[in-house]
Amino acid sequence: MTFDPASYVFSQPSAPTAIRASTVLPARRENVELRTGDGHRLVGELAVPESGEIKATLITLHPLPTHGGFMDSHVYRKASYRLPALAGIAVLRFNTRGTSSPRGTSQGSFEEGIGERLDVEAAVRFAVERGLPNRWLVGWSFGTELALMYGATEPVAAEIEGAILLSPPLHRATDVHLKEWAAAGKPLKVLVPEHDDYIQPAAAAERFALVPQAEVVGVDGAKHLWVGEKYAGRVLNEIVAEVLPGGTAAALPEEWDGPVATAHA
């Protein structure tokens, strides 16, 4: 059965609630479908603020599906739970071709990052057609490869402001792609865990030196999967600071005084 985001049950606590991994804050959430240029139907979810302007839009690209990555990978799930309410940010999550999650299974099969170019294009096109403003790619692990390979060239480049990379392995993405980002001049923020399995902060800084505008941020103590609320929260704060117009130095609240729901794994 396909998960319905309308099934969250919200209640009003008598006191402010600490925001935990399973805390869901109010938003307008809907199941969506993306159509690729080669005819595949991709399943996803869009979460937008309940009211007020949408200040930015995250188009999320998940980790490697052959190793457990999908639209519900925990950092993206928490982004969709929190950022519409806390920061006025829309979050688009979707399963790339052949990937399954409680939302459902996207058509097609895994294509090693090649056919997935059309998935990235479909997600960006959807965001444009829905009128979602200030659009940013956010890639995590395999998702960073897609962002690097396809974000700085058309038809995607003209429709996004920049990209944020979480734990880039730089396996599929090459210096050619980094030079394309350099030429595009679009912002590129790179969050690299101190204990990453693939590339660590010093080596990442050396590789991304090809992109003059890239900001490489090493995160002490973190690992590739950003496990733990401390590290997930750090990622969300870094994302918000990058994408909100004018930037923001204020950390996201850790409590919420309003209706809340609880997500069940």
Side-chain angles (χ1 to χ4, degrees):
M1 180 180 294
T2 297
F3 177 74
D4 180 2
S7 65
Y8 291 124
V9 177
F10 286 86
S11 61
Q12 175 65 63
S14 59
T17 303
I19 297 173
R20 306 187 187 282
S22 60
T23 303
V24 183
L25 304 183
R28 289 191 289 118
R29 298 181 169 89
E30 62 176 301
N31 286 335
V32 298
E33 293 185 355
L34 317 178
R35 290 285 179 174
T36 68
D38 58 348
H40 291 317
R41 178 181 59 86
L42 311 180
V43 300
E45 181 204 271
L46 175 65
V48 303
E50 269 199 324
S51 61
E53 70 170 319
I54 298 173
K55 298 177 181 177
T57 302
L58 308 182
I59 301 169
T60 62
L61 307 172
H62 60 68
L64 193 65
T66 54
H67 287 69
F70 58 170
M71 63 177 272
D72 285 331
S73 291
H74 78 100
V75 171
Y76 291 162
R77 190 174 66 243
K78 291 167 185 172
S80 75
Y81 289 171
R82 304 176 194 178
L83 297 188
L86 296 181
I89 292 174
V91 180
L92 174 62
R93 299 181 293 142
F94 70 99
N95 288 328
T96 57
R97 57 189 56 207
T99 302
S100 298
S101 75
R103 166 66 181 91
T105 300
S106 290
Q107 292 178 341
S109 58
F110 178 62
E111 295 188 33
E112 297 287 348
I114 305 304
E116 284 81 2
R117 172 180 64 84
L118 298 175
D119 301 353
V120 177
E121 292 176 5
V124 172
R125 184 168 60 250
F126 174 89
V128 171
E129 291 174 351
R130 288 292 293 263
L132 299 171
N134 189 17
R135 297 174 291 272
W136 291 74
L137 297 181
V138 181
W140 180 4
S141 192
F142 171 69
T144 69
E145 310 276 51
L146 301 183
L148 287 171
M149 290 192 293
Y150 307 124
T153 56
E154 300 305 338
V156 172
E159 304 293 357
I160 63 166
E161 300 300 319
I164 299 163
L165 310 181
L166 315 178
S167 308
L170 291 176
H171 285 169
R172 296 168 175 83
T174 68
D175 288 355
V176 170
H177 302 113
L178 296 180
K179 290 174 181 177
E180 288 172 348
W181 273 91
K186 291 181 178 288
L188 192 63
K189 188 169 193 174
V190 187
L191 303 183
V192 184
E194 177 186 12
H195 304 299
D196 195 271
D197 300 319
Y198 301 103
I199 188 169
Q200 297 177 356
E206 184 175 346
R207 290 289 304 275
F208 281 97
L210 288 172
V211 188
Q213 74 272 23
E215 177 189 2
V216 177
V217 179
V219 180
D220 292 346
K223 297 183 179 180
H224 188 75
L225 296 180
W226 304 98
V227 173
E229 180 57 31
K230 172 182 177 180
Y231 300 111
R234 170 70 183 276
V235 168
L236 296 183
N237 275 297
E238 292 280 358
I239 289 172
V240 171
E242 182 71 11
V243 306
L244 287 189
T248 178
L252 291 167
E254 297 181 359
E255 290 186 335
W256 173 255
D257 190 5
V260 297
T262 299
H264 299 284

